[in-house]
Amino acid sequence: MEAVGADVRGLRPGDTVFGWTATGSPAEYVSAPATHFVPKPKRLTMEQAATLVTSGLTALQALRDVAKVQPGQTVLITGASGGVGSYAVQIAKGMGAEVTGVCSTRNVAIVRALGADHVIDYSEVDFSRSGRRYDVILDNVEAQPLAAARRALAPTGTLIPNSGKGGRWFGPLGRILAAHVQSRFTHQALRPFLSVEKHDDLRVLAALVEAGTLTPVVDRTYPLERAADALAYVGEGYARGKVVVTVDATVPGGRA
Ligand SMILES: NC(=O)c1ccc[n+]([C@@H]2O[C@H](COP(=O)([O-])OP(=O)(O)OC[C@H]3O[C@@H](n4cnc5c(N)ncnc54)[C@H](OP(=O)(O)O)[C@@H]3O)[C@@H](O)[C@H]2O)c1
């Protein structure tokens, strides 16, 4: 924290914080309301803390607010080694769920290390045809159509289609509409959602980190001048956890 406004309470220059800004561009300096920041958990590096916001909030809100996961429920998470998925596996475990992660062969060990009780390698098993049914499915990939994913959902379970993927004509809106329409004819809940940046939820994430329930997975870091390469790598769709853009630590206030 380089400087704070005259009316800001609870934050001082020199504090290490994480949070979000009104604009999305990586930069050495950013300016944002004080309510966008909370203190960085001590056990995280700046790079790890920088990954918490979007993916962490998405995983938290999907499981806690949309699916309302209860202890003992079965939760299946696709893209379990990715940005949202790596958080979701850990948060669902922290909520007392029995967690199944879906990923490729090379990520099976990582997903198990994140705490998943079961791991499905999608190159060998199609979860929608395995015969098992889950109380909650957080589908970060949507490799299958909604109807196929629903086969693996318990009769009163909740499916969160979360890839933002869409059809040829209507884009993501088409799948969202399909989910709402199909929800009317089944006891299964199909719940696409948009995550929201909330100060209180940043505090929840920080508390989960401090409690040892949550540890960010950082795949790679790129210096600011290679931010375009970072975005291109993420765009390939096979990142392990999160990718971080760093800024020169020799610049005053410049870290991650
Ligand atoms: N609802 C919201 O507000 C919100 C907010 C943020 C993000 N999102 C959405 O959440 C989704 C996930 O984001 P993310 O950041 O976690 O993406 P990501 O980091 O790119 O992760 C995607 C994961 O998908 C896996 N994958 C790729 N192809 C696959 C396939 N054919 N079958 C199964 N898994 C496959 C990859 O794992 P392997 O390498 O093991 O294949 C990768 O780890 C995105 O579509 C994003 O738009 C939604």
Side-chain angles (χ1 to χ4, degrees), residues 54-55 57-59 61-62 78-86 102-108 111 122-123 127 138-144 160-165 192-196 233-243:
T54 307
S55 300
L57 289 179
T58 303
Q61 292 168 7
T78 69
S81 59
V84 176
S86 60
V102 182
C103 62
S104 61
T105 311
R106 73 188 184 109
N107 289 324
V108 166
V111 174
Y122 65 73
S123 65
F127 77 85
L138 174 58
D139 192 355
N140 296 305
V141 180
E142 296 191 75
Q144 289 94 345
I160 305 177
N162 189 45
S163 79
K165 263 189 197 155
F193 88 114
L194 277 179
S195 61
V196 185
Y233 177 62
V234 170
E236 289 169 15
Y238 297 97
R240 285 173 162 150
K242 298 294 295 181
V243 174

Side-chain angles (χ1 to χ4, degrees), residues 135-224:
D135 298 312
V136 174
I137 298 178
L138 174 58
D139 192 355
N140 296 305
V141 180
E142 296 191 75
Q144 289 94 345
L146 275 179
R150 280 181 48 203
R151 276 201 303 266
L153 191 63
T156 56
T158 301
L159 167 64
I160 305 177
N162 189 45
S163 79
K165 263 189 197 155
R168 188 171 160 202
W169 303 110
F170 299 109
L173 193 61
R175 282 181 86 100
I176 290 170
L177 286 174
H180 283 299
V181 170
Q182 288 185 36
S183 264
R184 292 183 169 271
F185 300 101
T186 169
H187 293 296
Q188 294 173 327
L190 312 180
R191 296 270 164 77
F193 88 114
L194 277 179
S195 61
V196 185
E197 283 126 352
K198 285 188 195 162
H199 191 247
D200 284 351
D201 282 352
L202 285 193
R203 289 195 180 283
V204 172
L205 291 176
L208 288 172
V209 168
E210 294 291 17
T213 305
L214 200 59
T215 302
V217 177
V218 175
D219 177 332
R220 296 181 185 181
T221 62
Y222 288 82
L224 183 57

